[in-house]
Amino acid sequence: TAQERLRSFCIIAHIDHGKSTLADRMLQATGVVQPRDMRAQYLDRMDIERERGITIKSQAVRMPWAVTGADGTAATYALNMIDTPGHVDFSYEVSRSLAACEGAVLLVDAAQGIQAQTLANLYLAIEGDLAIIPVLNKIDLPAAEPQRHAEEIASLIGCDTDDVLQVSGKTGQGVPELLDRIVEAVPPPSGVPDAPARAMIFDSVYDTYRGVVTYVRVVDGALRPRERIEMLSTGAVHDLLEIGVISPEPVPTQGLGPGEVGYLITGVKDVRQSKVGDTVTSALRPATEPLAGYQEPRPMVFSGLFPVDGSDFPALREALDKLKLNDAALTYEPETSVALGFGFRCGYLGLLHLEIIRERLEREFGLDIISTAPSVVYEVTTEDGTTHTVTNPSEFPEGRIAGVREPVVRATILTPSEYVGTVMELCQARRGAMSGMDYLSETRVEMHYTLPLAEIVFDFFDALKSRTRGYASLDYEPDGSQQADLVKVDILLNGDRVDAFSAIVHKEAAYSYGVMMTRRLKELIPRQQFEVPVQAAVGSRVISRETIRALRKDMLAKCYGGDVTRKRKLLEKQKEGKKRMKAIGRVDVPQEAFVAALGAD
Ligand code: GDP
Ligand code: MG
């Protein structure tokens, strides 16, 4: 039957190890994309994905593959390939794809070997009982060391080195053999065909022309076009206008059966009606038990997002509503700032996630956005014993603080052994505590650290890469919280606090943060009629100070002297500027100054 000829697999790999390129070759080898329609990284559909060369969203594609059996008879199988993102920020997307597959292609760059993130995903796949197909990619590279890395992989997953396939996504070498192996090694889906329909929503996107497009994997039973479907969590009922598979563009079909992956269109316009993790069933013969949903991804990093032009606030809200639909990890609530006006406090999985949201808001929605310094989630206990959850430094309680807890992570770093000392130094400087070290082989070491999340979400990854010439890799997972010596640093302009610049930092870093911000603001804020002190303070204690000197009367006079056109120009410029001025107490600051101060590194 169709179900026995179905294979669902995902590709787990480190970023840049060649998933998207291999996926391209599979699309070609199976003939679903004609040579003239081929473009590189076919499945990376978002502009940002193509430009940055990274995959953010998972993609599911169906491809036919004919295999000749031992008895000489040919049979065509349907392969569902799910391409997954590789960056640590998006690992929740990976676990979702794993749950929709019976097999995983473990793809490793033959010049670099397995990386920390891949190792973590491999363990997830093994736990999920997926068939693992180990593959070395880029064997066309002169620097490839397939023998050495095959041994490493074989010892990790307990297979023979000969079982490790060798392919090149660049030349296509070994790709047909890999497709054959997928048919052979991955079991068919095990759903019950005549049970009431149950399908898991794993993604959901808004399309301007078609409304909400919902991506599902059917687990039991079947869904057919024109039937009425029900969302189990809400009981909402919709007409199924179209159902089909992605191959690699949407193709309508006569329905989806057990194990099949495809899309649904119901004409629903409200993005919140199609929740990722919800179970879709048939309204006529509904299932009673929902499928086990996904673990809600928890935001780890928060920052304020403000429209540069205040009148864009409603548009920003609408844009966030739309992005949220296929990005369950994004959270937001309204926030007001004296310096920046109306905006939203947003929660993200990490810094890359933040950057991508900001970029999508700018490109896909044409919004001009400022974001404030990112912050993790702190637990602050005041002396009266109450504990406050603080995701925004401006909410840090006033008065005496009994203690502050910060989130920590368990980090795994894979590095060539010659960089062990360098990595230790870096981790120590970031308040890390080492908890162990294993040799994967003579030349590669797996190091374990407990690190404050705040110390790694910002530039830790870049620092690690630059100190190990790109060879070390990092993975981390939440590991509770710890007590730490943290303080809030405020930035004061003429004695008034500028809310957007407050930050929660380690006591030892408070001074350097204060000096950096006061210097930066001194440079960016134009002189006023009077002298303006720019201070950094912890509580009522000032830790650094700069002064913006007053405009000199005689300079004004000179400026407003003889040259009439120059004078007019200046006045016009000032008028233009006035619209965007923010008043902090008595000080007028052009919004651009705040934007620049927040933007610089
Ligand atoms: P992804 O991040 O895992 O999706 O990796 P990509 O498919 O975007 O590939 C990363 C880089 O490696 C690109 O510059 C590809 O052209 C290159 N690449 C991918 N596969 C091969 C291969 O088999 N051989 C060679 N030489 N380069 C490859
Ligand atoms: Mg990719």
Side-chain angles (χ1 to χ4, degrees):
T1 70
Q3 191 173 341
E4 278 155 15
R5 298 247 178 99
L6 199 56
R7 301 289 182 269
S8 292
F9 68 97
C10 57
I11 304 178
I12 47 184
H14 191 69
I15 199 153
D16 276 350
H17 280 202
K19 271 189 317 282
S20 301
T21 308
L22 178 65
D24 286 349
R25 294 294 86 71
M26 289 183 172
L27 293 175
Q28 269 177 326
T30 57
V32 297
V33 177
Q34 298 306 314
R36 72 189 136 84
D37 297 325
M38 197 62 213
R39 50 167 205 264
Q41 320 251 302
Y42 195 95
L43 297 178
D44 290 344
R45 288 167 213 250
M46 279 195 272
D47 287 345
I48 304 181
E49 293 183 311
R50 309 184 71 81
E51 272 164 36
R52 293 188 173 219
I54 56 170
T55 307
I56 299 165
K57 298 298 296 179
S58 301
Q59 294 280 355
V61 181
R62 183 177 172 126
M63 304 174 289
W65 187 245
V67 174
T68 310
D71 58 357
T73 53
T76 301
Y77 287 78
L79 309 183
N80 280 323
M81 170 176 59
I82 297 178
D83 185 23
T84 56
H87 191 276
V88 57
D89 275 13
F90 301 106
S91 47
Y92 76 106
E93 291 265 353
V94 176
S95 48
R96 247 154 62 186
S97 334
L98 292 181
C101 297
E102 280 80 36
V105 169
L106 172 67
L107 189 71
V108 175
D109 185 322
Q112 298 200 345
I114 198 161
Q115 306 289 301
Q117 179 77 56
T118 320
L119 205 57
N121 290 334
L122 170 65
Y123 292 145
L124 279 179
I126 292 174
E127 264 170 48
D129 264 342
L130 271 63
I132 311 289
I133 301 173
V135 178
L136 284 171
N137 189 27
K138 307 197 188 181
I139 53 162
D140 61 285
L141 283 178
E145 295 179 272
Q147 193 49 38
R148 191 178 128 208
H149 294 300
E151 278 165 23
E152 207 169 83
I153 293 171
S155 75
L156 261 173
I157 62 177
C159 69
D160 210 87
T161 46
D162 296 334
D163 293 334
V164 182
L165 294 176
Q166 302 196 2
V167 308
S168 165
K170 185 174 174 186
T171 65
Q173 187 189 340
V175 173
E177 291 79 358
L178 171 56
L179 293 168
D180 286 345
R181 175 75 73 86
I182 289 167
V183 169
E184 182 192 314
V186 179
S190 60
V192 184
D194 47 13
R198 292 199 296 173
M200 173 65 104
I201 301 181
F202 67 87
D203 200 1
S204 197
V205 295
Y206 182 80
D207 182 291
T208 326
Y209 304 105
R210 324 188 78 190
V212 178
V213 181
T214 303
Y215 294 92
V216 295
R217 178 179 210 226
V218 176
V219 174
D220 293 319
L223 293 173
R224 309 255 167 245
R226 285 173 304 279
E227 79 172 309
R228 302 197 63 131
I229 55 165
E230 182 184 324
M231 303 290 173
L232 262 187
S233 72
T234 58
V237 171
H238 308 289
D239 282 322
L240 194 50
L241 304 180
E242 186 178 315
I243 184 167
V245 297
I246 308 287
S247 187
E249 302 301 330
V251 182
T253 63
Q254 283 313 304
L256 295 174
E260 288 191 294
V261 176
Y263 69 95
L264 310 175
I265 290 174
T266 57
V268 166
K269 295 277 183 226
D270 182 1
V271 297
R272 280 160 294 210
Q273 296 257 11
S274 237
K275 214 170 134 255
V276 169
D278 200 355
T279 302
V280 180
T281 188
S282 164
L284 266 183
R285 194 182 157 219
T288 45
E289 280 294 299
L291 297 163
Y294 301 114
Q295 217 174 339
E296 288 268 330
R298 247 184 332 137
M300 311 271 267
V301 177
F302 289 79
S303 94
L305 281 190
F306 295 85
V308 170
D309 180 346
S311 66
D312 277 343
F313 178 74
L316 177 58
R317 176 193 295 274
E318 210 169 293
L320 287 170
D321 280 346
K322 286 197 176 140
L323 289 181
K324 167 82 185 167
L325 172 69
N326 65 353
D327 190 345
L330 172 69
T331 64
Y332 50 96
E333 55 186 50
E335 176 184 10
T336 321
S337 150
V338 178
L340 303 171
F342 292 105
F344 291 93
R345 189 79 192 160
C346 301
Y348 314 90
L349 295 164
L351 229 53
L352 179 65
H353 189 208
L354 186 163
E355 269 177 49
I356 282 168
I357 292 291
R358 196 171 64 187
E359 219 171 296
R360 290 187 70 184
L361 287 170
E362 289 181 350
R363 280 179 193 213
E364 294 171 30
F365 300 91
L367 293 165
D368 221 351
I369 299 291
I370 316 167
S371 60
T372 59
S375 163
V376 299
V377 185
Y378 296 99
E379 300 285 336
V380 184
T381 308
T382 43
E383 285 217 319
D384 60 7
T386 47
T387 299
H388 309 251
T389 301
V390 175
T391 60
N392 188 342
S394 66
E395 289 164 1
F396 199 87
E398 304 287 336
R400 286 193 148 302
I401 302 296
V404 183
R405 297 187 74 84
E406 61 175 345
V408 293
V409 299
R410 194 170 17 205
T412 303
I413 297 167
L414 282 192
T415 177
S417 41
E418 71 244 51
Y419 295 114
V420 164
T422 318
V423 173
M424 283 178 161
E425 260 169 46
L426 174 65
C427 290
Q428 243 147 37
R430 302 300 176 97
R431 302 191 281 127
M434 189 157 156
S435 57
M437 193 162 114
D438 300 312
Y439 277 80
L440 282 188
S441 66
E442 264 163 48
T443 50
R444 298 233 299 160
V445 183
E446 185 178 353
M447 300 168 76
H448 302 276
Y449 269 92
T450 300
L451 280 153
L453 177 64
E455 297 283 348
I456 73 167
V457 284
F458 306 122
D459 63 345
F460 183 86
F461 191 63
D462 292 338
L464 180 68
K465 283 282 171 195
S466 70
R467 285 171 202 217
T468 60
R469 298 178 50 217
Y471 283 117
S473 61
L474 164 76
D475 185 57
Y476 57 86
E477 56 183 358
D479 191 27
S481 64
Q482 70 181 16
Q483 192 83 28
D485 249 340
L486 299 164
V487 293
K488 181 175 75 150
V489 182
D490 287 318
I491 305 298
L492 311 171
L493 210 51
N494 202 30
D496 290 305
R497 186 159 73 200
V498 190
D499 53 6
F501 292 98
S502 297
I504 297 169
V505 297
H506 193 254
K507 215 168 171 180
E508 275 161 25
Y511 176 73
S512 58
Y513 177 78
V515 169
M516 176 189 71
M517 285 317 290
T518 48
R519 283 202 187 139
R520 202 182 275 177
L521 286 171
K522 181 194 170 189
E523 266 168 37
L524 290 167
I525 294 176
R527 291 188 187 189
Q528 313 274 319
Q529 307 287 357
F530 50 93
E531 194 178 277
V532 177
V534 185
Q535 297 161 305
V538 173
S540 55
R541 192 165 53 88
V542 171
I543 55 173
S544 78
R545 177 191 162 120
E546 298 280 340
T547 305
I548 302 172
R549 283 188 294 137
L551 280 171
R552 276 169 46 194
K553 292 269 159 33
D554 53 336
M555 271 187 55
L556 268 180
K558 234 185 239 155
C559 192
Y560 288 104
D563 188 340
V564 183
T565 52
R566 188 165 156 210
K567 183 173 162 186
R568 191 174 296 139
K569 257 194 201 146
L570 193 77
L571 284 173
E572 266 166 21
K573 246 207 172 133
Q574 280 183 343
K575 225 164 78 192
E576 223 174 79
K578 269 278 183 292
K579 284 186 290 192
R580 308 170 78 107
M581 286 289 183
K582 302 277 178 180
I584 303 294
R586 283 171 61 214
V587 185
D588 283 331
V589 183
Q591 181 152 4
E592 289 76 42
F594 289 133
V595 177
L598 284 168
D601 283 313

